[in-house]
Amino acid sequence: MSAAFPHASVVFGCPIAGEVAPISQCADPTFAQGLLGPGVVIQPEGSILFAPADGRVEFILSTKHALGMETPEGVKFLIHVGLDTNRLEGQGFQLFVQVGSQVRRGDKLLSFDTQVMAEQGCSLATPFVFCSNREGWAMELLRTGPVPAGEDLLRMTRLPQD
């Protein structure tokens, strides 16, 4: 799929309003060390997650707290709502999409109940990471700090192929 876009660049919107920081500041070491790819961590101010780009929903964890997507250009990413939210087993989460759904930037993906998360001691910190960096993509963070949902957040650019 990505060969059709040899010099592609994709701008991603912020999937949820909140305070954006580099992924290295995530409390979860798996994300902070970049083991799942580069990205950001967002401390949400809202409770609705929006599609940051046009694409296809590739997977949704059975516990509804994380999903993966791929853009038409071949950029793959993961959004993981909160930390330790897998132990909620889906409680407090509502999906608006399913695996295979084609979405447009700004479409609702899921919502979550911040009160349920707080009562269960889960962090709201939401990692948004790119799994495509090993496949010839570079990430450019466009802004940090408070960012409204939908605002341009970062750009992925295909690296020149040898």
Side-chain angles (χ1 to χ4, degrees), residues 1-12 70-76 130-140 154-162:
M1 182 184 318
S2 55
F5 301 92
H7 304 292
S9 178
V10 185
V11 175
F12 290 81
E70 182 174 359
T71 70
E73 298 82 5
V75 179
K76 297 178 183 180
F130 292 83
C131 315
S132 298
N133 69 318
R134 292 178 196 85
E135 299 170 15
W137 291 89
M139 186 191 90
E140 175 189 0
L154 49 84
R155 176 181 294 114
M156 293 294 287
T157 304
R158 179 167 282 292
L159 299 172
Q161 303 296 308
D162 293 336

Side-chain angles (χ1 to χ4, degrees), residues 16-152:
I16 191 165
E19 188 76 21
V20 176
I23 196 65
S24 60
Q25 295 182 25
C26 185
D28 182 310
T30 300
F31 287 107
Q33 294 170 17
L35 298 178
L36 298 175
V40 297
V41 61
I42 305 165
Q43 189 62 39
E45 293 173 1
S47 61
I48 298 177
L49 189 72
F50 299 95
D54 295 354
R56 180 180 185 274
V57 177
E58 295 290 311
F59 69 86
I60 301 171
L61 296 186
S62 62
T63 48
K64 304 177 188 175
H65 72 282
L67 56 81
M69 289 181 54
E70 182 174 359
T71 70
E73 298 82 5
V75 179
K76 297 178 183 180
F77 60 92
L78 164 73
I79 305 174
H80 190 287
V81 177
L83 302 176
D84 296 324
T85 43
N86 58 315
R87 58 189 170 83
L88 298 177
E89 298 180 347
Q91 179 186 359
F93 289 89
Q94 179 184 359
L95 294 170
F96 300 111
V97 295
Q98 58 191 11
V99 172
S101 292
Q102 293 288 338
V103 297
R104 307 274 305 160
R105 180 174 165 167
D107 287 353
K108 284 188 204 180
L109 298 175
L110 62 84
S111 66
F112 54 96
D113 188 327
T114 57
Q115 186 172 341
V116 169
M117 291 173 70
E119 288 169 358
Q120 297 299 317
C122 297
S123 167
L124 293 177
T126 298
F128 173 26
V129 298
F130 292 83
C131 315
S132 298
N133 69 318
R134 292 178 196 85
E135 299 170 15
W137 291 89
M139 186 191 90
E140 175 189 0
L141 186 54
L142 302 176
R143 57 189 299 188
T144 57
V147 182
E151 194 84 13
D152 287 355

